[in-house]
Amino acid sequence: MVLGDSLVEVQAAPAGLDVEIRGVSLLDPEDPPTAQPGELVLVIGARGRAAFPALRAAGRDGAAAVVVKLDGPGQAAALSETAAEAGVALLSLRSEARWEQVNALARAALDDAPPGEPGMGTEEGDLFSLAQTTAILTSGIVSIEDTANRVLAYSRTTDSDEADDLRRRSILGWQGPEGYLAKLREWGVFQHLHSSDEVIGIDSHPELGIRRRLAVAIRSGDRQLGTIWVQEGSIPLSERSRQALLGAARVAALHLVRRRRELSDDVTLTRTLLAGLLDGSTGPQPLATHLGFDATRPAAVLGFSYGTTEASGTKEAYGTTEAYETPGGVAAPELTHSEVTNLVSVHIAARHRSALVTQVDPRIYVLLPQLPRGIDTDTLRGWTQEITDAARRHLGLPLRGSVGCLVPGLGEVPESRREADRILDAMVSAGVTVAVAALPDIQAEVLVSEILTLLSDRPEIRDPRLTALVSHDSRHQGRLAETLLTYLNSFGDIRAAAAQLHVHPNTLRYRLRRAEQLTGLDLSRPDQRLLAMLQLRLPPTG
């Protein structure tokens, strides 16, 4: 849950923690105890046994959860028992926290949830998700505040001892305590944030209960919208914390502008125009005019995917939450596409201010408009490698990245997107082991993959003798097709092929003769050998 253990603690969850919350309501002691299905009910002013009617009513009406304050530890057991009987989740709010704070944070998280998706359930609000992603990339503890130092979102912490006194009091009080804010003003921190895009570091001050932290302004043009703070916890901040923080600030600016409803229609329009440009259904000028881009400057598209069966046009890798194994074989935490998109957005925004990121199931695409004219593919490959390395390091995710061709302007962006897709398709189908590639890196694999796709889609251009050989193996559990392909891949070297198949060379010779007898193939003819090498690479069902 986005509110985190800094504000609330789960006392009872009879339906588990994966409960969808659809709305927030305030229940005053003077009001009759009622609720709406899926609501988070904030019970104000009723503690101890006085909250029993609200719990029973919430369970009766199908509410998702009830939040109360406890007077003492002895109340938790009785309230938890009543909540369990009523079938509703019970959360206890820390005594220092303010009800208006919880109400505002919960409603903000619901407002930020993507349309059509549940709020505060499997998909958390955009700013909370961004705070969590930034915490992963920096190895720190993150909070996002507006210009009045009110906390808008923050990352979760597994160890409350890692958070210093400033963070705890900021979250519990909804904004930074005035004494601490005065010190930050005295040190010139706010002046720096008001006038600069650069990350500022604040040294630790044990006497004030402040650990080391970094801060960066969230800006829209010349206007400051807020600040991202990263506090160092029990481990040092990562080496690339400053770069990650710059990217996070640029992504946060989009969320805050949307939150203020100043450009909400523009955000939707940008996504629509970007999707149209990538697939070629919309020309370059609408997006260029909308965002003020120079359509005649170089551009490129980066593509990202994960999963083992993913290919363009399918939804096998992204439609649902999936778990992956880290290189050490340990199951990684479950990921959603929003977390991966956040990571890509933060990293690429730090490298290229004008970058646009969108998800087109099952892939994530980055449009890099207005690139410097001297930029080269090696630079883009390096940016892409940074992102895949970060995904593996921070998320345990084997992310693949492709670098589409550099094109002279936005009008040729669909060509770059197609090339990025061709590379990703080949990386999946050909089992390419590198995490990042441009077309020159795996051109042979790309072309062979596309030839195999053509053979798979066009049965009339396949050799029926080879199709019959594969069918014969399937019926008799034979290995003639495998033997023939291994022999051809070994350039006709009998001993090398036999060693690879772990059989005697005479066994391999017998299988080759048997394959020729069954099919009528003549392996002395180069054209037949070439066709066999290609067609026998098709999956058996092809």
Side-chain angles (χ1 to χ4, degrees):
M1 185 174 177
V2 298
L3 299 179
D5 57 9
S6 296
L7 278 178
V8 298
E9 183 177 349
V10 178
Q11 299 293 341
L17 299 178
D18 251 350
V19 177
E20 177 184 347
I21 294 178
R22 304 173 198 160
V24 183
S25 67
L26 297 169
L27 183 61
D28 189 90
E30 303 299 322
D31 297 332
T34 59
Q36 295 295 320
E39 277 190 334
L40 176 70
V41 182
L42 310 182
V43 182
I44 301 173
R47 304 193 182 201
R49 294 184 177 276
F52 283 178
L55 282 170
R56 295 190 182 102
R60 177 197 66 211
D61 297 336
V66 174
V67 184
V68 302
K69 283 190 177 182
L70 302 179
D71 279 333
Q75 295 180 354
L79 286 169
S80 297
E81 183 178 348
T82 302
E85 292 173 356
V88 65
L90 173 65
L91 309 176
S92 61
L93 180 66
R94 296 184 182 275
S95 58
E96 311 98 308
R98 305 209 304 262
W99 284 110
E100 63 266 31
Q101 170 194 11
V102 180
N103 183 38
L105 285 173
R107 292 181 186 277
L110 285 172
D111 288 342
D112 275 344
E117 297 188 16
M120 296 168 64
T122 56
E123 294 286 349
E124 296 182 350
D126 288 347
L127 280 179
F128 284 92
S129 179
L130 177 62
Q132 193 64 27
T133 298
T134 308
I136 292 171
L137 295 176
T138 60
S139 301
I141 305 171
V142 175
S143 62
I144 302 175
E145 300 179 0
D146 64 13
T147 51
N149 303 113
R150 290 175 297 207
V151 178
L152 303 174
Y154 48 85
S155 62
R156 298 181 294 271
T157 57
T158 56
D159 184 355
S160 60
D161 291 336
E162 288 195 6
D164 63 13
D165 189 44
L166 173 54
R167 176 181 167 87
R168 282 191 292 271
R169 292 180 62 180
S170 295
I171 292 176
L172 290 172
W174 199 13
Q175 64 182 24
E178 182 53 42
Y180 289 110
L181 298 180
K183 283 293 183 184
L184 294 176
R185 283 192 287 269
E186 178 185 329
W187 298 332
V189 173
F190 290 125
Q191 182 179 357
H192 172 93
L193 292 171
H194 183 71
S195 59
S196 173
D197 293 338
E198 298 300 315
V199 176
I200 185 174
I202 300 100
D203 293 334
S204 63
H205 291 270
E207 74 282 3
L208 299 174
I210 299 178
R211 295 188 182 183
R212 177 190 172 222
R213 42 183 30 83
L214 301 176
V216 67
I218 304 169
R219 313 186 76 82
S220 176
D222 294 332
R223 183 176 54 170
Q224 183 182 357
L225 302 178
T227 308
I228 302 181
W229 302 86
V230 180
Q231 180 221 300
E232 189 170 70
S234 58
I235 61 174
L237 296 177
S238 64
E239 292 182 3
R240 299 194 177 185
S241 291
R242 289 177 178 267
Q243 180 180 326
L245 205 52
L246 283 173
R250 293 169 186 172
V251 176
L254 301 176
H255 295 322
L256 291 184
V257 165
R258 183 180 65 188
R259 176 179 289 235
R260 294 181 177 203
R261 307 296 187 221
E262 294 175 0
L263 294 175
S264 58
D265 292 340
D266 286 350
V267 171
T268 302
L269 179 58
T270 297
R271 291 173 179 167
T272 302
L273 294 177
L274 175 57
L277 178 61
L278 288 173
D279 65 22
S281 62
T282 304
Q285 205 53 50
L287 183 66
T289 301
H290 176 56
L291 297 178
F293 289 162
D294 183 348
T296 65
R297 287 178 57 183
V301 174
L302 310 179
F304 295 92
S305 72
Y306 64 86
T308 55
T309 58
E310 182 272 325
S312 62
T314 72
K315 295 189 178 183
E316 297 179 18
Y318 261 112
T320 58
T321 300
E322 298 189 23
Y324 296 88
E325 287 194 354
T326 63
V330 180
E334 287 191 340
L335 301 168
T336 62
H337 53 253
S338 64
E339 291 176 287
V340 184
T341 303
N342 273 339
L343 183 143
V344 173
S345 299
V346 167
H347 270 270
I348 201 63
R351 287 296 187 182
H352 189 59
R353 182 180 295 274
S354 301
L356 297 175
V357 181
T358 190
Q359 179 206 337
V360 181
D361 280 340
R363 293 178 174 169
I364 296 171
Y365 296 96
V366 176
L367 171 63
L368 300 171
Q370 304 188 125
L371 288 168
R373 298 197 183 277
I375 201 167
D376 56 21
T377 300
D378 286 341
T379 300
L380 302 186
R381 189 189 288 107
W383 293 357
T384 310
Q385 187 71 56
E386 287 179 3
I387 293 171
T388 60
D389 288 347
R392 184 171 294 277
R393 183 169 59 251
H394 297 294
L395 302 179
L397 175 67
L399 190 66
R400 300 184 188 90
S402 63
V403 181
C405 55
L406 277 161
V407 292
L410 289 182
E412 293 76 26
V413 159
E415 177 187 346
S416 184
R417 186 265 177 98
R418 283 192 295 271
E419 184 165 299
D421 275 335
R422 291 176 66 197
I423 296 165
L424 289 176
D425 288 344
M427 292 174 84
V428 174
S429 62
V432 176
T433 56
V434 296
V436 172
L439 186 59
D441 303 325
I442 57 168
Q443 189 149 23
E445 290 86 345
V446 169
L447 295 176
V448 169
S449 174
E450 291 171 349
I451 291 171
L452 293 179
T453 298
L454 181 64
L455 284 173
S456 180
D457 294 341
R458 299 277 301 279
E460 70 274 13
I461 62 175
R462 298 183 219 154
D463 189 328
R465 296 173 297 179
L466 294 167
T467 302
L469 182 64
V470 173
S471 298
H472 178 275
D473 277 351
S474 179
R475 292 194 306 271
H476 298 89
Q477 297 182 330
R479 299 180 64 188
L480 297 181
E482 177 192 8
T483 299
L484 177 54
L485 181 58
T486 304
Y487 166 75
L488 293 171
N489 287 341
S490 301
F491 302 101
D493 187 326
I494 292 287
R495 293 192 176 278
Q500 188 172 337
L501 292 170
H502 305 291
V503 298
H504 193 277
N506 287 339
T507 301
L508 188 135
R509 292 187 181 95
Y510 167 77
R511 290 181 182 176
L512 291 176
R513 289 196 300 271
R514 181 66 176 151
E516 288 183 301
Q517 291 168 357
L518 285 172
T519 61
L521 288 170
D522 183 356
L523 296 180
S524 67
R525 293 178 57 180
D527 54 347
Q528 294 195 21
R529 292 199 305 271
L530 175 60
L531 185 57
M533 285 187 71
L534 288 171
Q535 189 169 323
L536 292 179
R537 289 173 182 246
L538 291 174
T541 55

